[in-house]
Amino acid sequence: MRFGLILGDQLHHQLATLKALDRIRDVILMAEVVEEATYVAHHPQKIALIFSAMRHFAKELKAEGWRVRYHAFQSDSPIRSLLDFVESQQQLLPVTELVITHCGEYRLQQQIEQYWSQQLQLPVQCLNDERFFCSPEQFRHWASRYQTLRMEYFYREMRKQTGYLMQGQQPFGEQWNYDSANRKTWAGNPPLPAPLHFEHDQIDLDVLELVEREFSRHSGSLDNFRWGTTRSNALLALEHFITHSLPHFGDYQDAMVQDSDMLFHSLLSPYLNCGLLLPKEVCDAAEAAYHAGHAPLNAVEGFIRQILGWREYVRGIYWLYMPEYASRNALQHSAPLPQFYWTGRTRMNCMAECFRNTFQHAYAHHIQRLMVTGNFALLTGVDPQQISEWYLAVYADAYEWVELPNTLGMVMHADSGLMASKPYAASGNYIHKMSDYCKHCSYNVKTRTELDSCPFNSLYWYFMIRNEAKFRTHPRMGMIYRQLDKLKDRHQIISHAQQLLSQINEL
Ligand code: FAD
Ligand code: DLZ
Ligand code: SF4
């Protein structure tokens, strides 16, 4: 008899573990455990989504004839970790081997490789995770051929490999990337799709009650929990996105709007990351919408690029450079994370809006993460590990393999430009251009050094001044430094920014 351990982010019926095992002879193990639920202070909605999706998945496996041993969460249980659970089952059943699919996170994969087999006195077989388009080995091979690992070149290879939006070796529309067409602001038209709500069944209700009781000290509210927790609901979410939002996804991809939390984004990342959806079926559905004339090329290309390009690329970077990647800090940032990242209370309206979305829905769309909360952490020199822990905790889709490269590489420029050739630093002007947040803010986005000036403005220039030695000669940043040279209030900017940094929790 073999055990197959299935993790909370491996909830797919075609998982390699299930394909390798025999439903009559072998036993599936699944466990809700303290160690996984608390290695960061996960948003309660993230825990509820994972526990409920795990319970539904276990029920489906049983209905298909699998033998499943499931450990439901108990805070006082002696079973604290996944290893404890495997050990406890080993006492009860004559097991000869443990089979797992490669973990998403380095932390757990290392534990398994380093000591599980020895501690259990059991062979452990680790299978490749076939849910992705590109394996870590394939990515390593791709990376070995390039000096700089730009996403765009990786993406083009993946387009050729999969044939998405391709005519032979050439892209549809003769252009690989329609990003420049995807920068519109949104002022009420076209209307936003109605958000999708899923009825809670008894499993959801039990889990919501459990999470409320056990994890209420974690930041974030359960009140607006509206994630689907089964594969069939995740498929409905996919259909809802393709029908209502995909046609506008491209145009408004970078827009931000007061009180509009999702705009035309898909909200599919939590399902993709926990296994309820496969990236291939999501890209297939988007491409089919293009061929059916339902969505334009800029939208479909933009969407497929996020999944086939960015998502696969960040996973490749993660496995190529871990564990050393996690401690990178090229700009030597060490400031503590401001308290308002956990409370959401700040007078900066753009930040408050992103925090509201985050804590109400365990969600924020990409540009909120990158250009508002991320940009602020970059400008204020927050310790990359602290901001990284925050992103890993607060989103329903957060797993280290995708969160870490986005945070260290895209947001914090902590990997010396490995992922992003220049830092994504921006002043209030960018936020003003891409959103209506500044209209609702008590700070003034037009000034730099007044008492009520937008903090992003002086902090932006102070960041450029602090890092002048690194960036002045950067080929894509020359214009910024030419602008800086023309500023007459450089000294005031420095003292204003220093003043803000000294009382950052008051902003
Ligand atoms: P959409 O805008 O609808 O995009 C479609 C899909 O493309 C997403 O579902 C996602 O699977 C994929 N995608 C888009 N952008 C990225 C990207 N940069 N990297 C990887 N996949 C991408 N995404 C996560 O899935 N988990 C994380 O923990 C995570 N942490 C992030 C941290 C930071 C600091 C930043 C800047 C981005 C992070 N992202 C993360 C990427 C991105 O913000 C989310 O994937 C996206 O906001 C999820 O919302 P959506 O499903 O509505 O995405
Ligand atoms: C994120 C998460 C949480 C909150 N809880 C569990 C759990 O109790 N049991 C489980 O198997 N998985 C959980 N997960 C997902 C794991 O953390 C994830 O599988 C690992 O980080 C490896 O990617
Ligand atoms: Fe944000 Fe500045 Fe605009 Fe206020 S004025 S919303 S702080 S960018």
Side-chain angles (χ1 to χ4, degrees):
M1 170 196 287
R2 290 172 298 172
F3 282 165
L5 176 66
I6 297 187
L7 307 173
D9 55 354
Q10 298 184 335
L11 308 179
H12 196 270
H13 289 269
Q14 295 302 313
L15 190 75
T17 308
L18 290 168
K19 288 203 262 177
L21 294 184
D22 181 298
R23 76 182 69 187
I24 308 297
R25 280 200 307 271
D26 299 325
V27 171
I28 300 299
L29 306 183
M30 295 178 70
E32 299 164 10
V33 288
V34 173
E35 193 173 280
E36 294 306 309
T38 58
Y39 67 86
V40 289
H42 305 284
H43 193 302
Q45 288 195 31
K46 176 181 177 187
I47 301 176
L49 169 61
I50 291 170
F51 283 7
S52 186
M54 285 174 70
R55 290 183 189 194
H56 282 100
F57 187 72
K59 193 175 160 192
E60 288 166 12
L61 289 182
K62 283 182 193 159
E64 289 170 8
W66 287 95
R67 288 197 285 165
V68 181
R69 296 291 178 110
Y70 192 95
H71 178 75
F73 188 87
Q74 281 171 300
S75 52
D76 56 359
S77 165
I79 292 169
R80 315 297 292 170
S81 66
L82 293 163
L83 179 60
D84 290 344
F85 183 57
V86 180
E87 273 183 318
S88 72
Q89 292 302 307
Q90 199 182 12
Q91 314 292 320
L92 307 174
L93 296 166
V95 60
T96 54
E97 186 181 26
L98 173 66
V99 178
I100 58 152
T101 297
H102 198 286
C103 301
E105 298 192 344
Y106 184 88
R107 167 189 63 84
L108 189 58
Q109 184 65 27
Q110 273 305 97
Q111 288 178 21
I112 293 173
E113 284 176 14
Q114 279 177 356
Y115 61 84
W116 277 32
S117 183
Q118 199 181 11
Q119 182 145 340
L120 296 165
Q121 291 293 299
L122 195 67
V124 176
Q125 191 190 158
C126 181
L127 305 169
N128 288 336
D129 191 342
E130 299 160 344
R131 291 174 293 167
F132 294 86
F133 290 104
C134 178
S135 68
E137 292 67 39
Q138 185 189 343
F139 190 86
R140 190 177 301 269
H141 181 247
W142 172 79
S144 70
R145 298 182 359 240
Y146 287 86
Q147 285 246 300
T148 48
L149 304 185
R150 290 287 163 255
M151 197 290 292
E152 184 62 28
Y153 296 111
F154 169 75
Y155 167 60
R156 289 179 192 182
E157 286 219 4
M158 296 309 288
R159 288 274 294 278
K160 288 183 193 157
Q161 175 184 310
T162 58
Y164 283 123
L165 302 177
M166 295 292 289
Q167 273 171 321
Q169 289 296 294
Q170 291 310 311
F172 277 142
E174 291 169 13
Q175 220 175 293
W176 289 101
N177 181 318
Y178 289 82
D179 217 15
S180 54
N182 292 355
R183 299 201 181 124
K184 289 193 185 150
T185 52
W186 183 80
N189 242 325
L192 295 176
L196 196 56
H197 286 272
F198 294 104
E199 288 287 303
H200 296 155
D201 66 8
Q202 196 54 49
I203 294 180
D204 295 326
L205 293 172
D206 290 346
V207 166
L208 287 168
E209 200 243 324
L210 165 83
V211 174
E212 183 72 59
R213 195 176 63 238
E214 299 289 348
F215 300 98
S216 54
R217 62 191 185 287
H218 294 196
S219 292
S221 158
L222 275 179
D223 293 347
N224 299 292
F225 184 90
R226 58 186 181 203
W227 300 105
T229 52
T230 60
R231 168 143 173 91
S232 55
N233 283 347
L235 286 169
L236 286 176
L238 172 60
E239 189 185 304
H240 185 267
F241 166 70
I242 299 283
T243 309
H244 302 290
S245 299
L246 179 63
H248 310 297
F249 176 85
D251 287 353
Y252 305 107
Q253 204 179 330
D254 287 359
M256 297 181 282
V257 181
Q258 184 84 16
D259 298 325
S260 296
D261 298 330
M262 325 295 176
L263 287 165
F264 299 98
H265 291 274
S266 70
L267 277 76
L268 295 179
S269 50
Y271 308 126
L272 284 163
N273 296 352
C274 78
L276 293 181
L277 289 178
L278 291 180
K280 180 172 183 322
E281 66 194 344
V282 173
C283 292
D284 286 351
E287 190 185 41
Y290 170 69
H291 290 306
H294 174 65
L297 189 55
N298 73 311
V300 175
E301 185 283 316
F303 182 71
I304 288 182
R305 178 164 18 94
Q306 304 311 312
I307 295 179
L308 181 66
W310 281 110
R311 187 169 185 270
E312 298 284 327
Y313 169 80
V314 298
R315 178 170 181 260
I317 294 283
Y318 181 77
W319 286 108
L320 189 58
Y321 291 110
M322 281 297 281
E324 159 278 315
Y325 194 79
S327 55
R328 290 204 189 182
N329 188 359
L331 299 180
Q332 293 167 340
H333 284 168
S334 59
L337 188 69
Q339 282 150 19
F340 45 70
Y341 275 79
W342 294 108
T343 64
R345 283 195 294 275
T346 162
R347 284 180 294 125
M348 293 177 284
N349 181 52
C350 52
M351 294 282 281
E353 268 291 282
C354 297
F355 292 140
R356 187 187 52 69
N357 200 6
T358 301
F359 294 125
Q360 276 182 8
H361 303 295
Y363 178 81
H365 55 79
H366 184 67
I367 215 73
Q368 291 184 315
R369 298 186 205 194
L370 181 64
M371 297 311 294
V372 182
T373 49
N375 182 26
F376 189 82
L378 172 70
L379 298 184
T380 55
V382 171
D383 170 6
Q385 297 201 4
Q386 289 191 37
I387 184 69
S388 190
E389 183 175 324
W390 184 78
Y391 281 112
L392 189 56
V394 297
Y395 294 117
D397 60 21
Y399 298 88
E400 197 187 67
W401 65 266
V402 50
E403 172 276 325
L404 195 70
N406 270 296
T407 306
L408 295 195
M410 297 302 288
V411 161
M412 298 304 291
H413 207 73
D415 65 2
S416 319
L418 174 77
M419 279 182 62
S421 62
K422 72 183 182 66
Y424 275 85
S427 68
N429 194 32
Y430 173 88
I431 296 172
H432 184 46
K433 208 168 73 196
M434 294 313 298
S435 78
D436 61 352
Y437 292 152
C438 304
K439 273 201 310 215
H440 305 269
C441 188
S442 56
Y443 289 109
N444 181 357
V445 73
K446 297 285 176 200
T447 63
R448 284 193 285 266
T449 54
E450 311 292 314
L451 215 53
D452 69 345
S453 292
C454 168
F456 281 85
N457 291 342
S458 56
L459 290 171
Y460 169 78
W461 287 115
Y462 188 45
F463 173 84
M464 295 303 165
I465 292 166
R466 279 198 326 269
N467 292 292
E468 201 158 355
K470 281 198 181 72
F471 297 134
R472 183 178 273 280
T473 53
H474 188 295
R476 293 181 59 205
M477 296 176 75
M479 202 165 81
I480 297 173
Y481 283 94
R482 282 194 292 282
Q483 263 177 289
L484 177 63
D485 292 340
K486 286 188 202 140
L487 296 183
K488 301 238 163 21
D489 53 354
R490 185 179 170 117
H491 291 297
Q492 291 94 310
I493 288 173
I494 293 174
S495 60
H496 190 70
Q498 286 174 342
Q499 171 74 16
L500 295 179
L501 289 173
S502 72
Q503 48 173 45
I504 197 159
N505 287 310
E506 315 301 318
L507 295 179

